[in-house]
Amino acid sequence: MTLPTYFLSHGGGPWPFMMDQVGHLYARLDASLRDLPRQIGITPKALLVITAHWEGRDFMLSSSPKPPMIYDYGGFPPHTYTVQYPAPGAPALAAQVQHMLEAGGHRALLDDQRGFDHGTFSALYPVYPNADVPIVQLSLKSGLDPREHLEAGRLLAPLRDQGVLIIGSGLSYHNLRAFNAAGAAASHAFDAWLRATMTLPPEQRTARLMQWEQAPAARMAHPREEHLLPLMVALGAAEQDAATVPYHEDAFMGALAVSSFRLG
């Protein structure tokens, strides 16, 4: 079975652990993530998560068998700095991914100290609440070149036939200085372009995404593109497959348009 790939808009901070306070804001995202196991149909052997919250000079891979937690957010309730998502790591998969990337000309390094950041544990807690699927995190590469990340995804495509679910975890709109009504127009313009682009035939879709900065409101939606780049890896790993939209919201945080994508 060839698994799909996903780009997930992962929401803000530790939201799944604050549903009694923010559930009204995250109900649709939460429901979409909880539906992923049904969509996939099987439990993956492992997850490879390209996280927007980790960058290295080269591609980096988490290789600890028991990754710790990284609370990479501020201003949240005290209990959110003690939450645990005790999914196991997968050192053998990390080494395999390293080999696949290096065989394709991309230097990749293992990091046996790296823990799960909220781009991983917040996105995956609703999907696999028992934390029983092994996870390897893949960093972005500094420079944030979309083509390098697309090429990395192409090299990793064979994992889809080996029971590994490839997930790009980011956010389709990420301008924290306008994460409210001030960003509404930009988020809607960019999201409409992105959803239309994802429906195009593969060659046209890839070409447009490689030139994403030319999209309407592109730099307003992504002043810095780290939350968009995980999409390029997910795309590269399923470049010939059709895309669907498992999650879309027109009034995220009251005003913003955000989306997630499935390929395959």
Side-chain angles (χ1 to χ4, degrees):
M1 178 180 178
T2 300
L3 293 179
T5 71
Y6 283 88
F7 170 75
L8 300 179
S9 284
H10 62 227
W15 67 266
F17 305 93
M18 301 171 55
M19 289 299 282
D20 56 337
Q21 297 159 274
V22 302
H24 63 292
L25 297 174
Y26 282 98
R28 189 173 296 179
L29 177 58
D30 184 59
S32 75
L33 292 172
R34 291 182 184 278
D35 191 51
L36 258 62
R38 181 197 64 80
Q39 296 176 26
I40 297 162
I42 66 169
T43 300
K45 293 179 181 177
L47 310 175
L48 178 64
V49 180
I50 303 92
T51 170
H53 291 270
W54 188 17
E55 296 176 35
R57 185 179 65 182
D58 302 295
F59 287 112
M60 304 289 295
L61 290 146
S62 62
S63 59
S64 170
K66 294 183 178 181
M69 299 287 285
I70 299 175
Y71 305 112
D72 54 341
Y73 40 74
F76 289 92
H79 79 272
T80 64
Y81 297 90
T82 60
V83 298
Q84 295 292 312
Y85 189 72
L93 175 60
Q96 179 186 358
V97 173
Q98 178 190 35
H99 175 76
M100 295 170 81
L101 291 172
E102 293 196 330
H106 295 275
R107 191 162 185 256
L109 302 174
L110 302 180
D111 184 338
D112 64 4
Q113 301 299 310
R114 179 71 185 187
F116 296 143
D117 59 61
H118 83 263
T120 296
F121 68 78
S122 287
L124 293 178
Y125 177 74
V127 186
Y128 299 112
N130 294 328
D132 52 0
V133 182
I135 299 171
V136 169
Q137 293 178 131
L138 172 63
S139 78
L140 302 177
K141 182 179 178 181
S142 63
L144 303 180
D145 181 346
R147 189 160 296 280
E148 282 192 299
H149 291 80
L150 176 80
E151 291 172 354
R154 288 170 173 165
L155 293 169
L156 300 177
L159 295 173
R160 298 173 60 202
D161 294 317
Q162 299 171 22
V164 178
L165 183 66
I166 297 173
I167 295 174
S169 179
L171 203 57
S172 62
Y173 173 85
H174 196 257
N175 183 341
L176 296 183
R177 293 186 177 182
F179 213 68
N180 48 34
S187 74
H188 282 258
F190 184 77
D191 192 80
W193 175 89
L194 187 59
R195 283 184 291 127
T197 296
M198 293 298 288
T199 67
L200 293 173
E203 288 187 10
Q204 295 178 44
R205 179 175 63 193
T206 295
R208 292 228 316 188
L209 286 171
M210 293 302 96
Q211 301 295 324
W212 73 270
E213 290 178 272
Q214 298 178 13
R219 278 301 179 188
M220 181 65 180
H222 291 280
R224 191 174 185 274
E225 57 265 44
E226 81 286 344
H227 273 70
L228 183 65
L229 265 289
L231 171 61
M232 308 307 176
V233 184
L235 173 74
E239 198 169 4
Q240 301 304 312
D241 290 357
T244 54
V245 183
Y247 166 68
H248 171 71
E249 196 157 355
D250 281 324
F252 182 64
M253 294 298 170
L256 304 173
V258 293
S259 297
S260 296
F261 299 97
R262 167 187 166 130
L263 290 135

